[in-house]
């Protein structure tokens, strides 16, 4: 373990850190509105944080320096390539800074393959999709989504036909931001084939939230390479659990070869979005994969789904509007009073909020949340009763 050194900070700066830690600990038990797992323990890895680890360049080519974790990074990439049925003879990927970078890389590859292609994505897609489309100077076309948040496939087909495009890029979302809806890659590919785009199309899956546990779903939800995906991006700090944003992007090596550049002084090709890359996050992802394995990850997913079902049922029992998609961690609810939104850190948009039962969220937390909702209901009823009473007395 790391040998602790006496603090070099002055008293005021030390107090700043202590106060900041107190704030984090105070708010941590109420972190149920955003998709981040909080049940990790990487204390066994603390000695690695004494060292600079820079995974510069391609994960499959070691740089001229020795301070990197690419051997473990390759194992992480291979694990997810297997999980998503990427072809063994044509696969490649790397550990990213998060889902947004994975989306950017995939769109970058797609643009190099099909430079004239517009990008079609649903209006429920993550905000990074239109942002990355703008960064890359591509044309983006948003299509409608169903009430559940899943892409409206008839809208996709109509918009592709209307565009007159000869090349097409489609982004499928596997776990939308607000409702955790999952687009169906099999249906998307069927539309593309039907319109004659089988050899001039690219389908990227933004699976940041739900990609890992959707791979375990029974029945199978079509979203991986066997279903027609050309690239898949996931987050490492969401379902898997990591104390810093991270992710993994998987695509074909033949696609990677279209964008690789030379960076001679590093001793490794420049095939990723960033040059220098975090060498510690691959160790954390590797650690969790080895510790849990596929069976542990599956159990982790089942537990979160059961908690979501529990919350959904309990909220409906007390009369608070709530709904959820199948096999989801996310429960969408009518927007509660602002004090509850702030206390429980709930993402809120268009009159609805959501609770995400990520690994680390407990039934005790959910029961406390439900009690807050009950209390707000009683407060609202009491206020309405008083208003009616005042109105009657004034007549």
């Amino acid at each position: 373990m790391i040998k602790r050194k006496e603090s070099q900070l002055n008293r005021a700066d030390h107090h700043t850190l202590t106060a900041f830690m107190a704030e984090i600990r105070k708010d941590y038990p109420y972190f149920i509105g955003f998709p981040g797992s909080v049940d990790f323990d990487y204390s066994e890895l603390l000695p690695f944080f004494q060292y600079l680890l820079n995974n510069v360049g391609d994960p499959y080519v070691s740089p001229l320096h020795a301070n990197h974790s690419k051997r473990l990074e390759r194992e992480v990439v291979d694990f997810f390539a297997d999980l998503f049925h990427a072809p063994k003879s044509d696969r490649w990927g790397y550990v990213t800074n998060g889902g947004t970078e994975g989306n950017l890389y995939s769109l970058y590859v797609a643009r190099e393959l099909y430079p004239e292609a517009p990008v079609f994505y649903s209006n429920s897609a993550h905000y990074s999709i239109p942002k990355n489309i703008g960064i890359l100077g591509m044309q983006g076309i948003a299509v409608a989504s169903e009430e559940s948040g899943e892409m409206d496939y008839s809208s996709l087909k109509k918009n592709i036909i209307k565009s007159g495009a000869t090349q097409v890029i489609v982004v499928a979302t596997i776990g939308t931001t607000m409702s955790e809806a999952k687009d169906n890659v099999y249906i998307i590919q069927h539309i593309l084939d039907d319109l004659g785009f089988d050899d001039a199309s690219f389908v990227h899956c933004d699976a940041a939230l739900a990609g890992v546990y959707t791979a375990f779903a029974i029945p199978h939800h079509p979203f991986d390479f066997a279903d027609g995906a050309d690239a898949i991006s996931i987050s490492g700090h969401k379902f898997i659990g990591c104390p810093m944003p991270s992710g993994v992007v998987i695509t074909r090596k033949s696609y990677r070869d279209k964008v690789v550049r030379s960076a001679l002084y590093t001793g490794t090709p420049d095939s990723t979005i960033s040059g220098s890359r975090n060498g510690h996050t691959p160790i954390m992802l590797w650690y969790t994969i080895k510790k849990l394995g596929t069976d542990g990850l599956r159990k982790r997913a089942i537990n979160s789904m059961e908690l979501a079902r529990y919350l959904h049922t309990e909220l409906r029992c007390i009369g608070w509007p709530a709904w959820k998609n199948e096999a989801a961690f996310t429960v969408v609810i009518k927007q509660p009073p602002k004090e509850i939104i702030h206390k429980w850190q709930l993402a809120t948009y268009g009159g609805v909020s959501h609770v995400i039962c990520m690994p680390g969220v407990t039934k005790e937390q959910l029961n406390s949340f439900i009690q807050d909702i009950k209390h707000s209901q009683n407060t609202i009823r009491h206020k309405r009763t008083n208003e009616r009473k005042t109105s009657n007395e004034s007549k």
Side-chain angles (χ1 to χ4, degrees), residues 12-30:
D13 293 336
H14 182 73
H15 175 74
T16 297
L17 284 183
T18 302
F20 180 42
M21 177 58 77
E23 289 178 18
I24 293 172
R25 287 174 172 165
K26 176 177 67 70
D27 294 332
Y28 219 55
Y30 306 104

Side-chain angles (χ1 to χ4, degrees), residues 71-224:
R71 181 176 68 82
L72 301 185
E73 181 180 15
R74 290 191 288 269
E75 290 192 38
V76 171
V77 170
D78 286 343
F79 176 87
F80 289 110
D82 286 340
L83 189 65
F84 300 143
H85 300 108
K88 289 187 179 296
S89 60
D90 189 15
R91 56 167 59 171
W92 184 86
Y94 73 96
V95 174
T96 68
N97 184 55
T100 294
E101 183 183 343
N103 291 335
L104 178 61
Y105 181 83
S106 298
L107 287 170
Y108 173 44
V109 167
R111 188 194 68 179
E112 296 303 291
L113 288 168
Y114 303 113
E116 303 301 322
V119 183
F120 297 86
Y121 60 96
S122 87
N123 57 16
S124 294
H126 191 258
Y127 63 83
S128 68
I129 299 302
K131 178 174 73 174
N132 285 336
I133 289 170
I135 290 171
L136 292 167
M138 304 168 80
Q139 178 191 3
I141 300 175
V143 303
S145 57
E146 305 285 353
E147 188 176 354
S148 66
E150 185 175 355
M151 180 182 286
D152 181 333
Y153 305 109
S154 63
S155 177
L156 173 65
K157 187 171 184 177
K158 289 176 184 176
N159 275 277
I160 291 175
I161 294 172
K162 183 180 177 181
S163 73
T166 57
Q167 302 174 337
V168 172
I169 299 166
V170 180
V171 176
T173 305
I174 311 302
T176 57
T177 303
M178 286 304 295
S179 65
E180 202 180 318
K182 304 174 184 72
D183 296 338
N184 188 310
V185 169
Y186 177 81
I187 295 175
I188 292 170
Q189 278 292 356
H190 182 75
I191 290 170
L192 295 175
D193 291 346
D194 187 51
L195 294 176
F197 288 103
D198 51 323
D199 292 323
S201 63
F202 188 101
V203 177
H204 167 57
C205 285
D206 174 11
L209 173 58
V212 179
Y213 53 88
T214 298
F216 303 130
I218 299 175
H220 172 69
H221 180 85
F223 84 101
D224 64 21

Side-chain angles (χ1 to χ4, degrees), residues 58-71:
D58 194 290
Y60 289 86
V61 181
S62 294
L64 293 175
H65 67 79
N67 296 345
H68 63 87
S69 62
K70 288 189 178 184
R71 181 176 68 82

Side-chain angles (χ1 to χ4, degrees), residues 312-343:
H312 177 239
T313 300
E314 293 299 308
L315 287 174
R316 289 174 65 87
C317 283
I318 65 172
W320 194 268
W323 66 273
K324 63 182 288 296
N325 282 309
E326 287 295 319
F329 296 1
T330 303
V331 180
V332 184
I333 65 174
K334 185 182 83 170
Q335 179 177 327
K338 62 181 181 180
E339 57 269 20
I340 292 180
I341 292 173
H342 292 154
K343 175 180 178 180

